[in-house]
Amino acid sequence: MMDTHTAVSLFFDLAVIGMLLLGIWLFGAPHTARRGNMAAALALAGAAGLILMRNGAHHPWLLLFCLLAGSSAGYVVARKVDMIQIPAMVAFQHGAGGVAAFMLSFAELMRGAGRLGVLNEISGLLGLAIGALTFSGSLVAAGKLANKLRQAPVFLSRHTRVTLMSLSVILGLIIAAMVMPETGRPAVYLLLILVSALFGIVFSMRIGGADMPVLISFLNATAGVAAAFCGMIIENKLLISCGATVAASGSILTHVMCRAMNRSLLHVFLPKGRPQPVPPGQRQERGEKEKNESGQKWGHEENQPVVDRAGAERGEGFSRALEHAANAQRVIIVPGYGMAVAQAQFALLELAGKLMAMGKSVKFAIHPVAGRMPGHMNVLLAEAGIDYDLLVEMDEINPEFSKTDLTLVVGACDVVNPAAIEVDGSPISGMPILLTHESKAVVCCNLDSEPGYSGVENPLYGNGNTIMLMGDAKESVQHLADHLLDMPVGRPGEPGTPGMPDGDPAGDRMETAVNALAAAKRIIVIPGYGMAVAQAQFKVAELAALLEQRGADVKFAIHPVAGRMPGHMNVLLAEAEVDYEDLCEMDEINPEFQDADVAIVFGACDVVNPAAMESEGTPISGMPILSAHEAGRVIVCNFNADPGYSGVKNTLYEDPKTLFLQGDAGSTAGDLIYGLKTAN
């Protein structure tokens, strides 16, 4: 029967393992990943504490010095590493795990040479070999990912034979170490480390291109295996469990990456031969075929790709890209490693927000091996604050490309390269890709039209329905975001639209609105979901503060269902530091509208729609609304004059006293602020 001490010891071990598993589980979603990181760190600290408590420390000051030195170095490196360098740092960390494993195994083997049990000795030798190959292989991977080494695969003469011979020598040295007399074993241990390190270099040097995530995942698994063998030689259940957990998760990830590449792990490490470049004739033939097909399919007048470069002068390419973006209803965005390099994810967030505010369907297509490590794109987009629900995996999004009006490729190449499915013998042949070439129009914001990491030319760039915006991806995307709203889209808001009399240009409407606000003494601001989409709360708050400085009495009218959740507007305005006492609930503020000089609406529609009271049988009939129509003047700052969420036409827009300022709510608020500050 288990004694009390053993039971307590086992309890703490299980608690640490449970904490580690909890941390791994929390990594599953961006909003819980930070807590997952803290939980995993706490588990590792607890594990280290248990080990020290049970075994003591022979040289505590040396231990403390090493702990502080290592922690300080890790802190400094982590602070300096940006998101672009994360894959290289992850690879380096795997290497650090490998070197720790083979050094621990070496120390234990030297200490107990000839006296260890068979299982412990085999575990130590395997920890020695796997730790060393993980160390060297990880350094090669980190060097490639950091552009310190040649990124393309490097082949030796008879590479496969050299690889297999190295593996055979490792196995032979392990056997020799077990049967050799004690005095000769240290030399065999050192030789085993050397040959294993060479093996790690040999097998990793000819991996490149889209296979890099497979290599990273595999080295993650081997680091865990090495740690588990270390646990076996020192007979520590905790280290065995944690190492096995890392090994299992790394193995699953490796399998997922291999499946995404449509190739086996054996094929990745031992390819049948060197990848062959795509024959120029075949490329040309296919390119012509694509051009003709795309031209016939989408009715292009000229079956030639449009190429434009980012810079001071924007040409036809940007104009056509903006035209496609303005008129598209379905948009898919494909991020790639170039987005990470250009740090374009934040500009992409702004562009996606404006597209969605225009009522378009926007999704992000995520290829499993996009970037330089598994989940690379997910991390970057989460960093920018893009809603995780907009991210769609490859298998789910691929059937939608043929129905998509516009696909925006940002810094991606190999994962959208049709050569992967149409050309044999290349490094990416057989790899499933995102079917962007099936879209009605494709805009590529890439640095250039050179091949990607695989070295395989991308025929997508030559398609007739492709627009190449070459240059820094961040600049290209930002230009699209800045000028998207300037494009005519044939939507309400043109002369003839309610609230916009014929011949009343936008400049005159803005001037009229500024004059109305400048003269008003009582102003009621009405926020809605459009303000949230445009992130206009800060400009709205600035405008309100400016009006108060000019002597106006400004209040905010909050409808209970404004936004997408209870209290949505309150939260946004609190974020913009609007005084909570200025926020008035509907029942409280409605009697004041008739005395208000101006009611100004930012992104609200249904909650100020008089049709709710005047019409029967609509989705909002009978719903209490904010009585903005009773104010002396109504200024509406909405993106367009389309019906709101209910689909019911807003009769407020047809009121003669309504002034409609169409456009992004934040930009409109900014224009009003500028107008007030420059008004006489």
Side-chain angles (χ1 to χ4, degrees), residues 133-492:
L133 70 88
T134 300
F135 169 65
S136 60
S138 297
L139 289 188
V140 171
K144 288 190 172 192
L145 294 170
N147 291 326
K148 302 297 183 185
L149 298 176
R150 182 184 173 189
Q151 298 189 14
V154 177
F155 285 83
L156 301 174
S157 176
R158 299 180 179 179
H159 202 128
T160 299
R161 185 174 299 180
V162 172
T163 304
L164 294 177
M165 286 181 63
S166 301
L167 184 60
S168 300
V169 172
I170 291 171
L171 295 175
L173 288 171
I174 290 175
I175 295 173
M178 295 185 65
V179 300
M180 185 169 285
E182 184 176 340
T183 53
R185 291 188 180 185
V188 178
Y189 296 156
L190 293 174
L191 190 58
L192 179 58
I193 292 173
L194 178 63
V195 176
S196 298
L198 289 175
F199 176 73
I201 295 172
V202 169
F203 84 74
S204 60
M205 66 189 298
R206 70 172 173 183
I207 296 177
D211 286 332
M212 285 304 290
V214 178
L215 178 62
I216 298 297
S217 304
F218 179 76
L219 291 170
N220 182 21
T222 57
V225 171
F229 279 125
C230 287
M232 292 179 70
I233 192 173
I234 62 175
E235 297 182 346
N236 184 281
K237 296 184 288 293
L238 196 58
L239 186 54
I240 295 172
S241 302
C242 292
T245 302
V246 174
S249 60
S251 300
I252 293 171
L253 196 56
T254 304
H255 171 71
V256 171
M257 293 297 105
C258 285
R259 192 174 62 180
M261 299 286 295
N262 194 30
R263 63 189 69 189
S264 66
L265 184 62
L266 184 63
H267 180 70
V268 172
F269 287 105
L270 299 175
K272 295 179 180 177
R274 298 188 184 206
Q276 300 298 318
V278 180
Q282 194 172 353
R283 289 201 302 263
Q284 184 176 0
E285 181 182 346
R286 188 193 175 284
E288 291 299 326
K289 181 181 177 183
E290 289 280 351
K291 291 175 187 178
N292 293 333
E293 287 180 350
S294 58
Q296 293 167 4
K297 189 173 183 179
W298 309 117
H300 296 297
E301 295 179 359
E302 298 179 358
N303 299 329
Q304 296 293 329
V306 178
V307 179
D308 206 349
R309 291 184 180 277
E313 296 183 0
R314 313 283 177 173
E316 181 191 356
F318 277 97
S319 298
R320 287 188 57 182
L322 283 167
E323 182 182 348
H324 280 295
N327 292 293
Q329 288 303 310
R330 294 170 180 258
V331 180
I332 295 179
I333 299 173
V334 180
Y337 184 63
M339 180 196 75
V341 173
Q343 285 288 286
Q345 61 268 32
F346 298 99
L348 207 52
L349 171 67
E350 182 180 347
L351 176 62
K354 290 187 175 181
L355 287 169
M356 287 188 287
M358 295 171 74
K360 305 176 190 305
S361 166
V362 178
K363 296 180 180 178
F364 288 80
I366 307 298
H367 194 286
V369 298
R372 293 296 178 266
M373 68 176 188
H376 197 180
M377 295 300 104
N378 303 62
V379 171
L380 291 171
L381 295 175
E383 178 197 18
I386 292 174
D387 191 341
Y388 201 71
D389 292 336
L390 298 177
L391 277 54
V392 186
E393 298 295 334
M394 179 175 63
D395 293 341
E396 186 180 349
I397 197 74
N398 263 347
E400 298 188 27
F401 278 107
S402 60
K403 298 176 289 187
T404 299
D405 303 307
L406 172 65
T407 293
L408 180 66
V409 178
V410 183
C413 184
D414 290 336
V415 298
V416 296
N417 191 342
I421 54 178
E422 298 187 4
V423 178
D424 295 327
S426 76
I428 58 172
S429 293
M431 181 182 82
I433 62 167
L434 294 166
L435 304 176
T436 56
H437 56 284
E438 295 183 355
S439 303
K440 295 176 183 177
V442 180
V443 173
C444 292
C445 300
N446 286 5
L447 184 64
D448 52 40
S449 60
E450 295 297 314
Y453 203 72
S454 68
V456 180
E457 188 172 327
N458 193 337
L460 176 70
Y461 302 158
N463 286 357
N465 62 331
T466 296
I467 299 172
M468 293 293 297
L469 303 182
M470 293 194 292
D472 182 84
K474 181 179 178 180
E475 288 184 13
S476 298
V477 174
Q478 190 64 57
H479 179 82
L480 295 176
D482 290 343
H483 295 83
L484 178 62
L485 301 183
D486 298 336
M487 295 301 295
V489 293
R491 298 174 69 83

Side-chain angles (χ1 to χ4, degrees), residues 79-167:
R79 294 285 298 179
K80 288 187 175 181
V81 168
D82 58 27
M83 295 302 293
I84 307 299
Q85 298 166 318
I86 287 292
M89 189 185 76
V90 170
F92 178 79
Q93 288 174 336
H94 293 159
V99 73
F102 83 69
M103 290 182 71
L104 177 60
S105 298
F106 182 73
E108 290 299 316
L109 287 169
M110 289 293 293
R111 191 171 62 170
R115 298 183 297 277
L116 294 172
V118 175
L119 184 60
N120 298 78
E121 189 163 3
I122 292 176
S123 299
L125 292 168
L126 289 175
L128 206 64
I130 298 174
L133 70 88
T134 300
F135 169 65
S136 60
S138 297
L139 289 188
V140 171
K144 288 190 172 192
L145 294 170
N147 291 326
K148 302 297 183 185
L149 298 176
R150 182 184 173 189
Q151 298 189 14
V154 177
F155 285 83
L156 301 174
S157 176
R158 299 180 179 179
H159 202 128
T160 299
R161 185 174 299 180
V162 172
T163 304
L164 294 177
M165 286 181 63
S166 301
L167 184 60

Side-chain angles (χ1 to χ4, degrees), residues 525-529 531 556-559 562 569 573 600-604 607:
V525 181
I526 303 173
Y529 184 62
M531 182 192 75
F556 288 79
I558 308 299
H559 193 286
M569 296 301 106
L573 294 172
I600 182 167
V601 179
F602 286 100
V607 298

